[in-house]
Amino acid sequence: MSFGFIKQHLDGQKNKHLYRQRSLIEQQNARFLQHDSKKYLNFSSNDYLGLNHHPEINKALALGAEKYGTCASASSLITGYNYAHQHLENVICQWLNKERCLLFNSGFSANFATLNAFSKPNVSLWLDKLSHASLIDGALSDKGRVRRFLHNNYQQLATLISSSELEDHLIVSEGVFSMDGDSADVEQLAIIAQQHQAMLYIDDAHSIGVTGKEGQGSSSANQNIDFVMATFGKALATSGALLACNNTTYDYLVNVARHYIYSTAMSPAIAWATAKSIEIAQQESWRREKIAHLSQLFTASLAPQILMLPSTSSIHAIIVGKEQKALSCAEELKQQGIWLTAIRPPTVPKDTSRLRVTITASHKESDIKHLADCINKVLLNNG
Ligand SMILES: Cc1ncc(COP(=O)(O)O)c(C=O)c1O
């Protein structure tokens, strides 16, 4: 039968407990979600600051739609770049202290397009082993030489770069790692980049809004980052992404970044709403403080036998091991009113399937204590 690989692939995934399905979420905020008419405590949301449904952001969205439209109507290089986009770019440049900024429709396309633009014959792209799929796919999409260094192992990175015969180097890391919740040492990366005349690219999808005094993510720790990518669809609670850089690299990307050139610009209404969201994220530091407080409470409330990776972010990864066990633990938690999606390969390495807990500024202390009690029972019962 032609296209027989489709059924074969799906059957294989089912046999390996790796089959993926969507769940219809009827309603959600950063604390609760409703599925099949039942309400659950939500610990799988990336709405870290709890800004989704914020009335001021909704108001800005409506105003942006009224003044600038829901649709950009064209690519940014045709007639799609308008005042709402320029305003958001300016807000971002000031916030992150960068010369220029480009807006993309998603973090995936920002990462893919930018790394594709730098994947050239004379360029080595050095990616942390735990890099997001969009970084890997972009780096591999053209003729650059892609190398992976062990997760956060900068000694290995420095040794490898020193022995490379290629001229140009781009070092790529996430600020906060999406599936482990630990952080890169951006200062250390910037030093290595400087020593080797390399450029540094940081994906701040999970840091923006959450780390830094005003939520600037990695940029608050170090200013020597050549490219900062951050998505709007997580802590900033809208959608799309930013790529902040200097004047020259901005110019280069406007001329070569395929997802920028050949895609309708992001919705102006969303751009207007995102500027409001950034303003709130900058001003309301209590949201970051609450995440830190609840995260500490969660760590302290877990049984000592439970293996949780160290984290200074909203993300807390409890390693369970086999796919099937992660699925059954998630199902048992669901029976107790807790929504916690099991994360399995290929998103994470084999035998490190996990429960990825995200703590948001909307959770309450009682939610965290209840979560820890349930996880303690479920994991200790499952050996
Ligand atoms: C580290 C990282 N980078 C990039 C992305 C892609 O961002 P977006 O959802 O805006 O496409 C994600 C997840 O969504 C992510 O976790």
Side-chain angles (χ1 to χ4, degrees), residues 106-109 111 132 134 174 176 178 203 205-206 229 231-234 240-241:
S106 74
F108 199 107
S109 60
N111 277 342
H132 190 260
S134 53
E174 292 178 26
V176 165
S178 57
D203 174 337
H206 299 275
M229 196 295 296
T231 69
F232 302 143
K234 301 185 196 294

Side-chain angles (χ1 to χ4, degrees), residues 72-82 85 254 260-265:
S73 312
S75 149
S76 298
L77 273 65
I78 309 294
T79 56
Y81 179 59
N82 76 23
H85 301 117
V254 167
Y260 193 74
I261 300 169
Y262 300 109
S263 186
T264 303

Side-chain angles (χ1 to χ4, degrees), residues 31 41 43 294 297 363-373:
R31 186 172 175 224
L41 267 172
F43 288 104
L294 294 179
L297 177 66
H363 286 122
K364 299 200 178 308
E365 283 191 1
S366 54
D367 302 337
I368 302 297
K369 287 183 185 152
H370 178 60
L371 170 71
D373 280 350

Side-chain angles (χ1 to χ4, degrees), residues 170-195:
L170 179 66
I171 300 172
V172 181
S173 175
E174 292 178 26
V176 165
F177 285 85
S178 57
M179 292 300 139
D180 283 32
D182 61 343
S183 304
D185 183 339
V186 177
E187 246 169 285
Q188 197 56 35
L189 284 171
I191 291 171
I192 296 173
Q194 201 178 23
Q195 283 167 346

